[in-house]
Amino acid sequence: MQATLSKKENPYTIDQFFYQGDNFKLIYSHNDPEIGSRIIRVNNNGEIKGFLKIEDWFAQKLTRDQNGFIYNSKLRKIFFLLPYTNEIAVFDEKGELIKIVKLEFGRYSFTKEAWNKYEDFNSQMNHAIENKLVFQVNSFLVLNDYYVISLNQEGGNGHLIILDHNFNLIRHFSDLINDLDNVKLSAIPWSAYGDKFLFFDKF
């Protein structure tokens, strides 16, 4: 999808899910079927381009995320964890979509068929809990030398996965324990800087 809009005509609102490039913005549409694409790029001259068609099973589903679009200067790429999927959209510095990386969890994946079958959140979550499925990836962080992925099997274990920049497995941790007080660390990684990632939890 490609078109041109003036600033006055531009209907796209900028919320927490956007990335500001040199002469463009990448915006997550919150699955608005009137927009037609999950992510759009709006150039400073008003030209717009859409990426990733909105399928019926997640149309109009709102979401929240603490990270949104992530730019890494070492990789010179922009990353966005697509809500309600196990997929990561990867863009170049000009805001062009390079690829979609799909994380596979085998029989523990919450499938597209399940999204279509269980329409309301309670039935979706009950199905996920009964089968210990990964409902969605909780957090995806980009560090200088690796990626950090946090997820839960509903009704089961929490997982922290470390991948290299080719998405190959480095380490896999389950149900982390804080070594200072031996308390189970239930929070998800909140942010990253350099080669470190940070947790935030309520007391």
Side-chain angles (χ1 to χ4, degrees):
M1 181 183 73
Q2 197 155 4
T4 301
L5 293 175
S6 70
K7 290 184 178 179
K8 186 176 293 186
E9 294 170 331
N10 193 337
Y12 304 112
T13 56
I14 306 298
D15 63 4
Q16 71 269 33
F17 292 144
F18 77 95
Y19 171 80
Q20 177 67 65
D22 290 337
N23 56 9
F24 69 92
K25 293 184 181 73
L26 286 175
I27 305 170
Y28 182 63
S29 72
H30 285 293
N31 308 316
D32 186 341
E34 292 187 9
I35 295 176
S37 300
R38 299 196 77 183
I39 296 175
I40 60 170
R41 186 188 67 198
V42 181
N43 293 341
N44 289 352
N45 63 7
E47 183 182 70
I48 62 173
K49 182 177 182 180
F51 305 100
L52 305 174
K53 178 183 176 182
I54 297 175
E55 299 182 43
D56 293 340
W57 63 273
F58 56 70
Q60 296 182 325
K61 288 183 180 293
L62 300 179
T63 187
R64 296 180 65 186
D65 180 82
Q66 73 271 17
N67 300 122
F69 290 93
I70 300 173
Y71 173 72
N72 184 275
S73 58
K74 181 178 179 180
L75 299 175
R76 300 178 64 180
K77 293 176 183 176
I78 306 161
F79 300 82
F80 186 76
L81 174 63
L82 292 166
Y84 303 106
T85 73
N86 298 324
E87 297 176 338
I88 299 158
V90 185
F91 296 83
D92 64 18
E93 289 184 304
K94 297 180 180 179
E96 288 288 349
L97 181 65
I98 300 173
K99 62 182 177 180
I100 299 293
V101 177
K102 185 172 184 178
L103 304 172
E104 298 287 355
F105 305 116
R107 66 187 182 92
Y108 297 108
S109 296
F110 198 95
T111 64
K112 185 183 297 185
E113 290 73 23
W115 280 108
N116 287 319
K117 181 178 180 180
Y118 303 100
E119 295 184 356
D120 65 277
F121 178 77
N122 287 336
S123 61
Q124 292 167 356
M125 190 54 60
N126 288 337
H127 173 68
I129 292 172
E130 288 172 4
N131 295 280
K132 291 184 168 57
L133 302 180
V134 178
F135 188 67
Q136 64 179 357
V137 174
N138 295 330
S139 176
F140 171 76
L141 297 174
V142 183
L143 284 78
N144 284 341
D145 295 315
Y146 50 89
Y147 303 124
V148 178
I149 295 172
S150 173
L151 57 91
N152 290 320
Q153 287 178 265
E154 303 302 334
N157 297 328
H159 300 270
L160 189 77
I161 301 169
I162 312 296
L163 304 175
D164 67 20
H165 284 163
N166 293 315
F167 288 92
N168 297 312
L169 180 66
I170 297 176
R171 295 289 301 274
H172 173 202
F173 304 93
S174 181
D175 291 334
L176 293 176
I177 300 294
N178 188 334
D179 60 359
L180 297 178
D181 53 17
N182 292 320
V183 173
K184 182 177 178 180
L185 191 60
S186 59
I188 64 175
W190 193 258
S191 185
Y193 177 77
D195 62 350
K196 298 178 175 62
F197 54 95
L198 309 175
F199 288 88
F200 173 80
D201 206 352
K202 298 179 181 178
F203 293 95

